[in-house]
Each structure stands twice: as C-alpha cells, then as structure tokens.
Amino acid sequence: MKNVNLTKWRYVSSAISILLMITSLAIIGVKGFNWGLDFTGGVVTEVQLDRKITSSELQPLLNAAYQQEVSVISASEPGRWVLRYGDIKSADTEQSNVDIQQALAPLNSEVQVLNSSVVGPQIGQELAEQGGLALLVAMLCILGYLSYRFEWRLASGALFALVHDVVFVLAFFALTQMEFNLTVLAAVLAILGYSLNDSIIIADRIRELLIAKPKLAIQEINNQAIVATFSRTMVTSGTTLMTVGALWIMGGGPLEGFSIAMFIGILTGTFSSISVGTSLPEFLGLTPEHYKEQVISDTP
C-alpha cells in the first residue's frame, strides 16, 4: 500500500471536481433555490386531533386543500400538530381555521385549532441575511485558522475543499428544488466543520512529511499522506454516513433536508480532502523548502 501511486488519480479526480463545481455554480445561478417558509414567510397553525391520526393521513389532505406542500410536524403532545404552509389570500386567523377544518373533514375527527399566526416576508428576509452572514463569518474564521496553522499553499487546498463541498450541496438543492430551510442551512454549517476536520488531518500529515522528509518530491509526499490517513478517513466517514443514513430513514420529513445535505456533504468532503485538497497546493508550487525555511526561522 505504501508504494501505490495515486498521482494520476488525484489529477483526474481534481479535474472532474473543478468541472462539476463550475456546473454546480451554473445550476445555482440559473435555477435558484426553493426557499422554505423560514425565509419566505407563511402561516403557522397548531391543531389538536385524535391521537390515532398520523402525519401520513394529514399530509395528502392538506396538500390538496392548500394546493401546496404543507409541512406537518408533531408537537410535544400526542395528537398535536404544527402545520406550516405558504400564505394564502386574505389569510386571517378565522379564515385559516375554517380552511383547516374543511380540509381535515374526511378524517371524521374533531379539529381544534389552538393558534394560528402569519410570518411575514420581512422576518424571512432577516433570517436569510443572518444565515448568509453566519456562513460568511464561519468561512472567514476558518480562513484565519488555516492561514495561522499552515503555509498558505497548503491552507488553500483545505479552503478550496470546503468551498467545493458547500457548492455541491447547494447545487443539489437548486437542481432538485427541494425546500431550502433553516435545517438545511444548519446542515451546511455542520458540513463546514466536518470537511474542515477531514482536510486538516491530511494537511497535517503532509506538513509532517515535508519537515521529516525534505528530499522527497511533493507528489510522493502527498501520496504517502493519503495512504497514512486513508483508513482513518474511511472509518470516520463510514460511521458518520451510517448515523446520517439512520437519521434520514427514521427522522421523517422534518429532518429529510438536513439528512440529505449531510449525506452529500460527507461524501463530497471525503472526496475533496483527498483529491483537490492535496492537488491544489502541489499546483501552487508547495515544496519541502517552504517548511524547511519555517523550521529554520523558528529555531532560536
């Protein structure tokens, strides 16, 4: 395994990643996102029904009545549900109550509307701005950390891998037009942390080899770093994927977007850390001399 030459594989996979990234950016620009109620505003209604009624019975009736995808979330008590849907014309509280009671009439169950409120688009716009700001601040903090810990060429590979993973996830939601809500945004932020951890493990190993074996070519150092961390990367990614997969299967509709985003992010994060995360510093001219100079300058 130590003598495996991964150079050609890394170059090919990096080229594919860059092409897919350009395509992803084009998809995001052309199709945009299907923003959820967290960002666009809408109506949030809490109802009390018979405990035996399930979300699979509620969903089709509400979707047909409101002619849109209605989010059905189980509340704290059995039989209590939180319904979220886009604002309708003249959506005052009384009219919304009547619509819900009429929509759920086929269930032959008493429908008690506990409360109903309208979330305006101004609040949604504020959430979108705050979410974008949180993503920007996270990226800037990561950039500062990488710049402090690694030489800039090596840090650029880890940073590009982070951007690569986020763009892939965003492009998937733009292409499929799945609802982009706050849980998906939380998944994107979680992906940043996960991908960063994976990239740092490999980058740290590259730095150690650059210092310990300054006579080796950078291609061989990258190959040895990947081989040394491969088993750890596969075990970590595999166990995390199993956890996210279980969440996807058993979490239901409310966690579907979060689980899918995390699943894609883990796959692309593992791939990008090994391919573009190691190839980009090499293309930027990283050599053992850069860290040899650093060691000499640090020596009193």
Side-chain angles (χ1 to χ4, degrees), residues 17-155:
S17 293
I18 292 174
L19 290 175
L20 290 177
M21 189 172 178
I22 294 173
T23 304
S24 298
L25 291 172
I27 291 173
I28 294 173
V30 172
K31 297 185 70 69
F33 298 108
N34 176 23
W35 299 105
L37 296 181
D38 297 322
F39 300 109
T40 61
V43 181
V44 180
T45 303
E46 190 172 3
V47 298
Q48 180 73 45
L49 303 171
D50 191 304
R51 297 186 176 187
K52 298 180 180 179
I53 296 176
T54 63
S55 60
S56 59
E57 296 176 276
L58 292 174
Q59 192 86 55
L61 294 175
L62 293 169
N63 290 351
Y66 289 101
Q67 298 182 350
Q68 60 179 289
E69 186 73 21
V70 178
S71 174
V72 180
I73 304 173
S74 178
S76 56
E77 300 177 6
R80 178 176 289 190
W81 302 91
V82 177
L83 313 177
R84 305 174 67 184
Y85 49 94
D87 199 1
I88 57 177
K89 295 180 180 180
S90 301
D92 55 76
T93 303
E94 182 180 355
Q95 183 65 39
S96 298
N97 292 352
V98 173
D99 289 341
I100 291 175
Q101 292 170 349
Q102 292 175 351
L104 300 180
L107 295 176
N108 296 320
S109 173
E110 181 182 356
V111 180
Q112 182 182 0
V113 178
L114 302 178
N115 59 72
S116 183
S117 59
V118 177
V119 180
Q122 290 183 346
I123 298 177
Q125 182 179 1
E126 183 180 350
L127 284 173
E129 292 174 354
Q130 291 177 347
L133 181 61
L135 189 60
L136 177 61
V137 170
M139 291 294 291
L140 290 176
C141 290
I142 290 172
L143 175 61
Y145 170 76
L146 290 174
S147 300
Y148 170 77
R149 180 161 183 175
F150 300 109
E151 201 268 344
W152 72 268
R153 296 171 183 82
L154 192 53

Side-chain angles (χ1 to χ4, degrees), residues 237-249 259:
S237 299
T239 53
T240 311
L241 281 175
M242 287 191 292
T243 303
V244 173
L247 189 63
W248 186 355
I249 296 172
S259 304

Side-chain angles (χ1 to χ4, degrees), residues 11 84 137 155 197 208:
Y11 291 169
R84 305 174 67 184
V137 170
N197 178 67
E208 291 175 359

